[in-house]
Amino acid sequence: MTQLEMMGANAKQAARVLMNAGAKKDEALLSIAQALRDNAAAIIAANEKDIENGKAAGLTPSLLDRLKLDESRIAGMAEGVTQVAAQPDPIGRILEGRTLKNGLQIEKITVPMGVIGIIYEARPNVTSDAAALCLKAGSAVILRGGKEAINSNKAIAAVMRDAIERAGLPRDCVALVEDTSRQSATELMQLSEYLDVLIPRGGAGLIKSVVANAKVPVIETGVGNCHVYVDKTADLEMAANIIYNAKTSRPSVCNAIETILVHKDIAEQALPVIKAALDEKNVELRGCERTRAILGDCVKPAGENDYAVEFLDYILAVKVVDSLDDALDHLAKYSTGHSECIVTSDYAAANRFTACVDSAAVYVNASTRFTDGGEFGLGAEIGISTQKLHARGPMGLNELTSMKFIIRGNGQIR
């Protein structure tokens, strides 16, 4: 048995305890939250090693921002765990109930997934977020982060495992794969004997690799080639504010926009206003010929790939389109199904956009940065699902459950 298989076997045993842990889960979560606060200095020291290694490896500023932990961010992680503890238990909810003509009483109830595997990249806060959500949902979790955050992840996981054990639950409710080689990732993807579901969180390359190689059922999350379409009736100040927020408030996250589409009838008025707002953060624009004709050579020519890529940086692709239908065609080709926005004063255009855009979140006159479990009032989330089976959009506690039927009778036979 390999080390990862042993980890899977231990997680499966821990999951059996978690199935009926009840209030013990909240005790463990509160223990984790306090332990994160108490051990902040040690976690930051470990994180500083990752930051140094990341700088030496040439990570971009946006990736270093994802990687960095400080007292404020660790306090936020602890608060996030506390908030998960405060949410209603998602396990044991009665989804449906009926009595058949033969007297059988049938209930459909929520149950834990069992063992969840999560593969993610350079965001060490995912380590505590994911562990907390899985634990509350009654499932054990095996975490496999990227090499960029390995020191941070090891420190956080050790703190959490000790805290869980102090609360009276098996420390193997949470496990971290410390081997960050490609081989360990592939082995985790194929651990079908022990994993019930696998959730990748990261860029397009990671998710594509997981989907291609996994033997475990996969829930795809996170790739966000998100757009704002500025319709011909848009309020220009509103459009500029929404685009500025959606691009620059945190460009390294999946709900940040990567492309804006501007209707030709409003482009000459809108593009200078939008550019002036984006100039405050020195956003690099890559535009079509019509965009460059309006804004000049300060806009780099956009290639085909610029409309398909998730920049995760202060870079924005721009295209002038002939109509709403032209914008819809562009989205159908390039959108990853995450979050899309229309800025418009036309009620009919808004309704057509929301009906025709096939994404998990579709906005009218609001920033795509709201695609988040907490912002939606759903609580913490494991990620944004961009697929259609099982879960779509922010994946909170309810989306981390499965279901089963319980049938009660008094001797019925068929």
Side-chain angles (χ1 to χ4, degrees), residues 31 34 64 77 93 107 116 144 146 169 187 207 214-215 231-232 239 252 267 291 347 356 362 369 397 399-400 404:
S31 179
Q34 188 58 50
L64 288 171
M77 289 161 58
R93 292 185 300 117
E107 287 181 343
I116 299 173
R144 198 276 186 188
L169 289 176
E187 187 180 353
I207 293 171
K215 293 183 179 178
D231 192 36
K232 62 183 177 181
S252 63
T291 300
Y347 183 74
C356 294
V362 185
R369 289 282 286 112
L397 288 172
E399 287 72 31
L400 288 177
K404 71 179 177 185

Side-chain angles (χ1 to χ4, degrees), residues 156-174:
I156 294 166
V159 165
M160 291 193 299
R161 283 164 60 84
D162 288 346
I164 290 168
E165 194 167 53
R166 284 195 297 272
L169 289 176
R171 63 192 291 109
D172 288 318
C173 290
V174 174

Side-chain angles (χ1 to χ4, degrees), residues 82-155:
T82 302
Q83 289 175 3
V84 171
Q87 291 187 55
D89 194 332
I91 301 304
R93 292 185 300 117
I94 299 174
L95 302 175
E96 296 178 21
R98 64 176 64 87
T99 300
L100 304 184
K101 291 180 180 180
N102 61 8
L104 288 177
Q105 296 177 339
I106 299 180
E107 287 181 343
K108 183 165 75 171
I109 68 167
T110 55
V111 295
M113 290 277 196
V115 180
I116 299 173
I118 299 178
I119 299 181
Y120 54 105
E121 295 176 322
R123 294 182 67 177
N125 62 294
V126 174
T127 305
S128 63
D129 291 348
L133 284 162
C134 291
L135 196 154
K136 179 77 176 191
S139 289
V141 63
I142 297 178
L143 303 163
R144 198 276 186 188
K147 63 182 179 181
E148 301 85 356
I150 185 59
N151 293 295
S152 307
N153 291 339
K154 286 165 66 174

Side-chain angles (χ1 to χ4, degrees), residues 23 87 140 164 206 209 270 291 308 314 316 332 334 362 410:
Q87 291 187 55
I164 290 168
L206 170 67
S209 175
T291 300
Y314 290 99
L316 188 64
Y334 295 107
V362 185
N410 55 4

